[in-house]
Amino acid sequence: MDFKPILESSYREILRRYLKESSEAALYQGQMFSRKSIKQQVSPEEIISIHCKALKDLFPDISEDILASFDFLIEFMMNYGLAYQEYQSLRDKQFELKSEIEIAASIQETLLETPIPKIAEVDIGAISIPAKKINGDFYRFVEDEKSISIAIADVIGKGIPAALCMSMIKYAMDSLLNSKNEPNEVLSNLNKVVESNVDSSMFITMFYGIYDFITHTFTYAAAGHEQGFYYHASSQSFEDLITRGMVLGVEPNITYEQFEKKVYPGDIIVLLSDGVTESRMKNGFIERSVITDLIQTFMHLSAQDMVENIYRQIERLQNFEIRDDFTLIILKRI
């Protein structure tokens, strides 16, 4: 059945009534007509054509210039309609992608969640804030009867691929930790896993250490990761934690150098990702001295309060625009 003559007749009567009365009732009839037209899949340009025909019927002496303007409007609406459909399609895809990223971020948070150890000998604080939905940083604690294993890693890459890579590293690392390997052995084994299973364009930096809270020694190794800090309570001074080693995933057979420090009461170990040291100020990257100044400023607080306050201060220094994933871990010997 051809609905066009019925639509034209209905529209003409609705338009006539509105032009005569200018009432809310006439406008409501127009709304109902619009809904029926949508159900009948009448395009916007067809509505304009129906409106033009109704004007001719209602006003036989209408100017030809006015009628010609509707021909222009029909052509305009045809192109506009196509562009609008394209826009809506892109918007729907963007919304779908956003939903998928939010789900991925939630799954990642659950998979990588690690409780912060609570022990009498060492006060520990940790914070990890993604620059976007997906976090390219990763940290993990594993506690046994005499030590705490600490890993902090950063995927050189962003988004969902980085999140998937982090999940793989997490489970690979868990299997290696059960074997009680030394930090340099853990990194060597993880390097083989990454080199064999991760795309060649993606690399991972990692710092891995073991804090023995019986002997109070900190043994660690690093794979291209950002140097942390060590605070000596006796001299009230800082030094960089020496790290040497290639990032994970470049070559399969790499050995990593291992270091050891004796930790005394009041000493502080600071581990971080490059999102901390590469925070951007007005004049370039943040100076490492600014970070050590902040550590000293909040040193009287608990380790968790320290990392949270340092993050807030650095966030403020960047005008609340965190451009890279931010991870900071502090261990204070009590």
Side-chain angles (χ1 to χ4, degrees), residues 298-315:
F298 300 112
M299 197 175 290
H300 62 287
L301 302 175
S302 69
Q304 189 58 39
D305 286 340
M306 282 182 69
V307 296
E308 291 175 4
N309 276 277
I310 291 169
Y311 168 71
R312 282 195 289 268
Q313 287 296 319
I314 292 178
E315 184 185 35

Side-chain angles (χ1 to χ4, degrees), residues 20-160:
K20 182 180 179 181
E21 302 174 4
S22 297
S23 64
E24 290 293 327
L27 278 175
Y28 178 74
Q29 280 189 310
Q31 292 174 3
M32 293 301 100
F33 178 87
S34 174
R35 293 177 185 176
K36 289 179 182 178
S37 300
I38 291 171
K39 287 182 180 179
Q40 298 298 327
Q41 296 184 332
V42 180
S43 66
E45 58 268 21
E46 287 180 295
I47 294 295
I48 296 171
S49 180
I50 291 171
H51 180 80
C52 186
K53 191 173 188 306
L55 285 178
K56 286 181 181 178
D57 293 342
L58 294 172
F59 305 100
D61 298 330
I62 191 170
S63 167
E64 289 298 323
D65 288 341
I66 293 175
L67 294 176
S69 72
F70 283 101
D71 292 334
F72 171 79
L73 183 58
I74 289 171
E75 289 297 321
F76 175 85
M77 288 304 296
M78 287 176 68
N79 289 319
Y80 176 84
L82 291 172
Y84 183 74
Q85 287 176 3
E86 207 172 295
Y87 166 77
Q88 286 293 97
S89 176
L90 289 172
R91 187 180 176 187
D92 290 344
K93 288 178 181 177
Q94 187 180 39
F95 180 79
E96 184 179 350
L97 180 60
K98 183 181 178 182
S99 298
E100 289 178 355
I101 290 174
E102 288 177 350
I103 292 170
S106 177
I107 293 171
Q108 182 198 39
E109 185 177 357
T110 302
L111 287 174
L112 303 183
E113 187 176 11
T114 180
I116 299 174
K118 304 291 183 184
I119 59 173
E121 297 84 357
V122 184
D123 182 20
I124 303 174
I127 188 171
S128 187
I129 307 295
K132 297 181 180 178
K133 291 287 185 181
I134 302 292
N135 200 339
D137 285 358
F138 160 77
Y139 73 90
R140 185 153 180 79
F141 298 105
V142 177
E143 183 181 356
D144 61 27
E145 64 280 359
K146 73 180 190 71
S147 66
I148 301 169
S149 299
I150 308 149
I152 179 170
D154 182 4
V155 176
I156 303 174
K158 302 298 177 188
I160 292 176

Side-chain angles (χ1 to χ4, degrees), residues 222-261:
H225 198 77
E226 186 70 27
Q227 288 187 334
F229 300 98
Y230 190 94
Y231 174 75
H232 296 273
S234 59
S235 61
Q236 298 184 350
S237 63
F238 285 91
E239 67 170 302
D240 291 341
L241 279 176
I242 299 171
T243 57
R244 285 189 285 270
M246 191 174 291
V247 296
L248 302 178
V250 178
E251 296 178 10
N253 299 310
I254 295 176
T255 58
Y256 292 91
E257 190 172 354
Q258 187 162 289
F259 303 88
E260 184 175 293
K261 293 194 75 68

